[in-house]
Amino acid sequence: MREIDLRDRALEEAQRMLDDLRREASERRAEAEALRQVAEATGSSFDLEDMLRHAVDIALKVTGTDSCQLYLFDKKTNELVLRAADETGQTMIGKIRLKVGEGITGWAAQERKPVAISRRATANERFRYFPQIHEEEYESILSVPLLFHNKMLGVVNVRTREPHEYTKHQMRLLSGIAGQVAGAIERTRRQRQLERTAVHLHNLSEVSQAIMSNVYLDDMLNMFVEMTARTMGYKICTVMLVDYETQDLVIKATQSPDAEYVCKPSPKLGQSI
């Protein structure tokens, strides 16, 4: 009888192990499929906003949660800016901003690791409440930073209306999505930088060719101010040359359409800026 009991317990344990392996295999397949979907969305979309919307939809679907927000880091202001969300946050895109370290979202960004709260998230001392996105309706929150080579690019949040203990599977899923999105964002930014650099080089090449050709000085200077204003994004660019006989700074080329500005008295050397 004892041997039968031992055998039954061993069979039960083996069955539990088999069930665990099957569940883990199923979760891994789900993770692989989620990452495939994100990779497909980020690879096929050349528009950043469109890509972020796809990422939010996929995050909601694969984690089985009720709400999702995606923030990107603005290094000029040291803020996390809401850039994509489910329907509850659509009207607040671009309007909600958090400092790094502020709120649960900012805390995840600062610590560069996931933060999970299973219930009464709005009561947490770190929570920053935004009534515009109906945060009082949700109990839990999982915030995961978007990291690319340990550089923080933003945060993605998912939430549930009922209390919810986030599983390792859900955390892996959202972390995988966050990593894919971070890589796509960095590639997009680098592509844009390369495009700007190409424009600068093209403009410099045109200026260089003009200088080496027989273009008259006035034409060359007009070309220079036009290209400089276009490349640098300036509204007005002006070149002034010194008249050594009068010691005046004389306007030789400008983008300004204002005749009064063009015809104003020339300043002397040392006057004004």
Side-chain angles (χ1 to χ4, degrees), residues 2 6 48 57 82 102 123 170 184 187 190 231-232 253 270:
R2 184 182 176 188
L6 290 173
L48 179 61
D57 292 341
L82 182 65
E102 182 182 9
Q170 287 176 311
R187 287 193 299 272
R190 289 182 180 180
T231 301
M232 304 303 292

Side-chain angles (χ1 to χ4, degrees), residues 237-262:
C237 178
T238 299
V239 171
M240 305 177 78
L241 299 182
V242 178
D243 184 332
Y244 285 102
E245 291 185 5
T246 63
Q247 294 294 292
D248 290 338
L249 281 170
V250 182
I251 294 176
K252 298 297 291 185
T254 183
Q255 284 277 96
S256 175
D258 188 350
E260 184 178 343
Y261 171 78
V262 176

Side-chain angles (χ1 to χ4, degrees), residues 122-135:
T122 54
N124 186 278
E125 60 181 7
R126 292 189 180 277
F127 195 86
R128 172 73 190 281
Y129 178 62
F130 291 101
Q132 302 93 331
I133 55 177
H134 311 289
E135 293 190 307

Side-chain angles (χ1 to χ4, degrees), residues 79-219:
E79 291 177 321
L80 293 157
V81 184
L82 182 65
R83 294 289 296 275
D86 60 89
E87 64 276 4
T88 61
Q90 287 291 317
T91 60
M92 297 306 294
I93 289 174
K95 298 177 183 178
I96 292 181
R97 292 173 172 266
L98 291 162
K99 293 290 185 184
V100 174
E102 182 182 9
I104 304 299
T105 302
W107 179 245
Q110 180 174 291
E111 296 301 304
R112 286 175 163 76
K113 62 182 182 182
V115 176
I117 299 176
S118 62
R119 63 183 63 241
R120 300 185 64 217
T122 54
N124 186 278
E125 60 181 7
R126 292 189 180 277
F127 195 86
R128 172 73 190 281
Y129 178 62
F130 291 101
Q132 302 93 331
I133 55 177
H134 311 289
E135 293 190 307
E136 71 281 355
E137 297 179 7
Y138 300 94
E139 279 279 333
S140 75
I141 185 171
L142 172 61
S143 293
V144 174
L146 309 180
L147 301 177
F148 183 81
H149 294 171
N150 205 38
K151 180 167 70 172
M152 192 275 295
L153 301 180
V155 176
V156 59
N157 296 337
V158 292
R159 311 196 61 183
T160 62
R161 289 187 173 86
E162 299 297 326
H164 178 73
E165 292 285 347
Y166 289 95
T167 65
K168 291 181 179 179
H169 171 57
Q170 287 176 311
M171 291 186 182
R172 284 198 308 264
L173 274 172
L174 198 58
S175 295
I177 292 170
Q180 290 270 19
V181 172
I185 291 170
E186 188 65 16
R187 287 193 299 272
T188 300
R189 288 178 175 174
R190 289 182 180 180
Q191 179 63 32
R192 289 178 177 175
Q193 181 61 47
L194 286 173
E195 289 171 356
R196 287 193 295 268
T197 301
V199 171
H200 294 340
L201 291 174
H202 175 72
N203 291 337
L204 288 173
S205 175
E206 288 189 12
V207 172
S208 175
Q209 290 174 21
I211 292 172
M212 297 301 293
S213 69
N214 293 322
V215 177
Y216 293 110
L217 177 62
D218 288 347
D219 292 337

